[in-house]
């Protein structure tokens, strides 16, 4: 039986387990990336592990999320990150140089290599044949120390692309179509492998728009084979020698298959406030638009901004609409500026932001109250833009620009008919990606050789071994698809506390219930109940660390998102699965008690845990966990366990076995 491309790369990197869907496998990691809002904890944990030096082929630290540095705490974080990169041997990308996924794609992403990143959109370079996976920060610290990364062997799904995109349809519409069909939980436990004749009609940046937003499906990763487009992209980035030809075997067997005929696609849009709330643009045409933003790691590249510039050449945006371009990288800004497009865009009424995540997580360009914002981003979770009850739509740069011209949502095909002289700008790469590299500091050019910590930078919290009794009040009952943005929001007022868990905990679940953190503190802990896909979205491990700090010992949910589930184990919180009947019956305020010696049962490999509710009725819950995950839980989290293993086995000890 032939192998899928995913299986081939995993097989090349396998250090433990078998490539059987659902089985836990350990893989060797070639490259890691981290960014400013998860990175401080990554390095504090690296420090807590007493490691001297990065062990992977490459590690890169980006400063991209909060580059406006509203508060000295942000700037202190960036200085700390530069010092950590210098001390331990990572590349450092300075604040303003661009979003980690864009800059990594430009400089380091390599076909056939594995990449682990402390950001959920790490799968972006799957568009050039890299197997890239997002994970919690502690998993990154351990991988940087040379430990394997453990993940459930995903099912590999064949997404067969046929035909070619018609005029005005784009790569964004391919992934929006995937979300329309499969929903935000349709990809949990899966890798989407794109194949078929339609692949060759898509350039690398178009492919990376698709792989980037595979994260919104809940997927472990997404990947394309490599071909002449990949070689050419790498050549234009000055890295042709890194090209490797990669494809699945002809007789590869997939767990599932679906077909998308690119020629059938039309401009699509995700309505507020979930990325899978997808409809044809025509269905919402006429909706008045206040703000348009082109940017983010999904559609913030040179190739995404150029179509907007071409559409706006010689025109002006509508008087009632604001349009902002936030380039994904400085490389993109620099090339656009040299080619004269920046001036064209400015003359059309567009404002430029520095190359940052910014508005994607409510840092700058917060929409006005009760207004409509069209963005080329990947997430539109309620409140993420910085204002509650926001109306954020997700679409392609072409649809966003058409709306800026008309002042309302319009299918660009209809706008072209109306205007008579508006042409589909198509998709074009620059002749060479010749931006300067001054903002990347290589390990041998490091500025610092010791850690610099400002007053807001705390220590990595180390958990306590699992206790025998777990009992407490249901402090919050939540619905399906609760995101880590709900658990720990990322807006500017909160983001500055990412390295100060005590302070950050005050904001825990504030987006669901503002009284939660205080109630949890008063109650001295308790449990959480949620519906399906609990913890989808961001990789931020703070969404486990903060509930733990408030005393949460267990989460009872119908199902968990992959990265958050791993983070719960990493910090020693018991993730128990409940059925829909139990979910319906259990209420906020109920008293819950796990009727067994939890520590013993976890270690003994028990899967069923009976919980007694209000001393009145009982329900069976399930702990699905590998032996390794059980050891982590029992030890009080992965940091404590890994430290113990290093102490027992010397500093070269593998992290997890
Ligand atoms: C996001 O898009 O939600 C973020 C902000 O990039 C997060 C990382 C973080 O919370 O720091 C992610 O996607 O993992
Ligand atoms: Fe940054 Fe937004 Fe991409 Fe997250 S999704 S990495 S916040 S641009």
């Amino acid at each position: 039986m032939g192998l899928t491309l995913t299986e081939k790369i995993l097989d090349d990197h396998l250090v433990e387990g078998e490539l059987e869907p659902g089985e836990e496998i350990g893989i060797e990691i070639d490259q890691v990336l981290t960014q400013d809002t998860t990175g401080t904890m990554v390095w504090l944990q690296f420090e807590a592990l007493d490691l001297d030096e990065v062990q992977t082929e490459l590690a890169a630290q980006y400063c991209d999320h909060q580059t406006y540095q509203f508060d000295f705490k942000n700037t202190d974080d960036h200085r700390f990150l530069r010092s950590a990169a210098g001390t331990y041997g990572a590349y450092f990308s300075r604040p303003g140089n661009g979003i980690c996924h864009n800059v990594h794609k430009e400089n380091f992403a390599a076909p056939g290599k594995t990449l682990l990143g402390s950001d959920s959109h790490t799968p972006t370079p799957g568009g050039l044949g890299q197997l890239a996976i997002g994970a919690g920060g502690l998993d990154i610290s351990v991988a940087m120390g040379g430990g394997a990364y453990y993940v459930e062997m995903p099912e590999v799904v064949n997404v067969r692309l046929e035909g070619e995109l018609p005029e005005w349809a784009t790569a964004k519409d391919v992934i929006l179509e995937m979300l329309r069909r499969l929903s935000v939980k349709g990809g949990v436990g899966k890798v989407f492998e794109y194949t078929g004749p339609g692949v060759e009609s898509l350039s690398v940046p178009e492919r990376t728009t698709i792989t980037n937003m595979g994260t919104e499906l809940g997927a472990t990763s997404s990947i394309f084979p490599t071909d002449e487009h990949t070689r050419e992209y790498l050549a234009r980035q000055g890295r042709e020698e890194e090209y490797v030809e990669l494809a699945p075997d002809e007789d590869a067997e997939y767990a599932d298959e679906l077909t998308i005929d690119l020629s059938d696609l039309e401009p699509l849009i995700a309505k507020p406030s979930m990325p899978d709330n997808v409809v044809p643009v025509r269905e919402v045409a006429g909706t008045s638009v206040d703000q348009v933003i082109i940017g983010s790691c999904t559609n913030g590249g040179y190739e995404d901004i150029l179509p907007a510039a071409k559409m706006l050449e010689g025109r002006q945006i509508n008087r009632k609409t604001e349009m902002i371009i936030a380039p994904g990288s400085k490389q993109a800004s620099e090339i656009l500026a040299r080619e004269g497009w920046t001036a064209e865009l400015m003359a059309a009424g567009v404002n430029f932001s520095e190359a940052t995540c910014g508005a994607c997580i409510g840092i700058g360009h917060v929409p006005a109250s009760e207004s409509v914002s069209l963005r080329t981003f990947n997430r539109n979770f309620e409140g993420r833009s910085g204002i509650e009850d926001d109306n954020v739509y997700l679409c392609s740069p072409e649809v966003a620009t058409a709306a800026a011209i008309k002042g309302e949502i319009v299918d660009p095909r209809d706008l072209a008919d109306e205007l008579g002289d508006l042409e589909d700008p198509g998709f074009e790469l620059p002749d060479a990606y010749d931006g300067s590299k001054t903002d990347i500091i290589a390990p041998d050019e490091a500025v610092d050789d010791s850690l610099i910590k400002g007053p807001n930078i705390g220590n990595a919290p180390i958990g306590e071994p699992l206790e025998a009794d777990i009992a407490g009040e249901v402090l919050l009952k939540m619905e399906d698809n609760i995101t880590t943005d709900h658990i720990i929001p990322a807006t500017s007022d909160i983001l500055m506390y990412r390295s100060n868990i005590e302070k950050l905990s005050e904001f825990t679940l504030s987006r669901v219930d503002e009284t939660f953190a205080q109630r949890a503190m008063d109650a001295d802990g308790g449990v959480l109940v949620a519906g399906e896909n609990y913890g989808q979205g961001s990789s931020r491990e703070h969404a486990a660390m903060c509930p733990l700090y408030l005393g949460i010992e267990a989460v009872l949910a119908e199902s968990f998102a992959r990265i958050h589930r791993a983070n719960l184990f990493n910090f020693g919180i018991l993730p128990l699965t409940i059925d829909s009947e139990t979910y319906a019956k259990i209420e906020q305020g109920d008293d819950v008690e796990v009727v067994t010696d939890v520590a013993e049962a976890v270690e003994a490999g028990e899967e069923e845990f009976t919980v007694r509710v209000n001393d009145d009725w009982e329900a069976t819950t399930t702990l699905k966990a590998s032996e390794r995950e059980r050891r982590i839980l029992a030890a009080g989290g992965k940091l404590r366990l890994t430290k113990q293993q290093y102490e027992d086995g010397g500093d070269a000890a593998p992290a997890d076995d």
Side-chain angles (χ1 to χ4, degrees), residues 203-356:
S203 65
V204 165
E206 288 172 295
R207 295 176 189 177
T208 56
T209 290
I210 297 170
T211 47
N212 170 281
M213 215 173 155
T215 296
E216 276 46 69
L217 295 160
T220 304
S221 194
S222 304
I223 193 163
F224 276 80
T226 60
D227 56 12
E228 277 315 300
H229 282 294
T230 327
R231 184 200 295 279
E232 202 184 310
Y233 177 82
L234 287 168
R236 288 180 197 212
Q237 290 287 5
R239 303 195 284 125
E240 190 177 358
E241 69 288 356
E242 290 175 38
Y243 177 74
V244 182
E245 199 177 313
L246 294 171
D249 287 333
E250 287 205 357
D251 57 345
E253 271 190 35
Y254 290 91
D256 204 354
E257 178 168 322
L258 60 111
T259 303
I260 295 185
D261 189 342
L262 299 175
S263 15
D264 287 344
L265 291 181
E266 60 174 319
L268 297 172
I269 194 161
K271 295 196 293 179
S273 291
M274 220 20 101
D276 60 2
N277 201 3
V278 175
V279 295
V281 171
R282 281 184 177 147
E283 210 170 281
V284 284
T287 309
S288 185
V289 174
D290 304 84
Q291 184 193 54
V292 162
I293 311 185
I294 293 185
S296 89
C297 55
T298 315
N299 283 114
Y302 165 92
E303 314 79 7
D304 301 298
I305 301 169
L306 187 62
K310 288 184 179 168
M311 286 173 73
L312 285 170
E313 205 174 354
R315 286 179 223 280
Q316 288 193 346
I317 59 166
N318 197 282
R319 291 269 179 238
K320 68 175 182 193
T321 308
E322 277 181 37
M323 181 165 174
I324 299 114
I325 290 185
S329 70
K330 220 183 211 182
Q331 184 188 76
S333 324
E334 197 180 321
I335 303 172
L336 286 162
R338 286 190 203 284
E339 291 181 350
W341 291 111
T342 308
E344 284 292 340
L345 284 160
M346 284 179 163
V350 172
N351 285 324
F352 272 81
S353 140
E354 61 186 72
T356 178

Side-chain angles (χ1 to χ4, degrees), residues 35 37-38 65 119-120 361 379 384 498 538-540:
Q35 37 92 336
T37 53
T38 51
H65 281 64
D119 190 282
S120 65
I361 39 171
R379 289 183 173 147
R384 182 172 158 102
R498 283 283 180 97
S538 148
S539 63
R540 63 193 73 138

Side-chain angles (χ1 to χ4, degrees), residues 41-55 87-88 138 141-142 144-146 451 453 459-460 462 638-653 655:
M41 218 22 99
V42 167
W43 292 112
L44 288 171
Q45 287 164 158
F46 196 82
E47 183 192 23
L49 287 170
D50 278 331
L51 293 163
D52 298 333
E53 202 176 22
V54 167
Q55 299 293 321
T87 308
Y88 296 122
L138 185 47
S141 321
V142 170
M144 278 202 302
L451 298 179
K453 293 184 184 175
N459 291 316
I462 300 185
K638 184 164 174 166
L639 190 53
R640 177 180 280 274
L641 180 68
T642 312
K643 266 179 97 57
Q644 267 166 18
Q645 287 171 334
Y646 281 170
E647 277 157 23
D648 295 349
D651 51 17

Side-chain angles (χ1 to χ4, degrees), residues 35-39 64-65 100-101 117-122 135 215-216 297 357 360-361 378-379 381 384 484-485 488 490 495 498 537-542 563:
Q35 37 92 336
D36 48 357
T37 53
T38 51
D64 50 357
H65 281 64
C100 53
H101 311 300
S118 63
D119 190 282
S120 65
H121 291 99
T122 300
T215 296
E216 276 46 69
C297 55
C357 297
C360 183
I361 39 171
N378 48 38
R379 289 183 173 147
F381 303 145
R384 182 172 158 102
T484 44
D485 274 332
I488 286 292
L495 211 54
R498 283 283 180 97
S538 148
S539 63
R540 63 193 73 138
E541 59 194 347
H542 307 77
I563 305 179

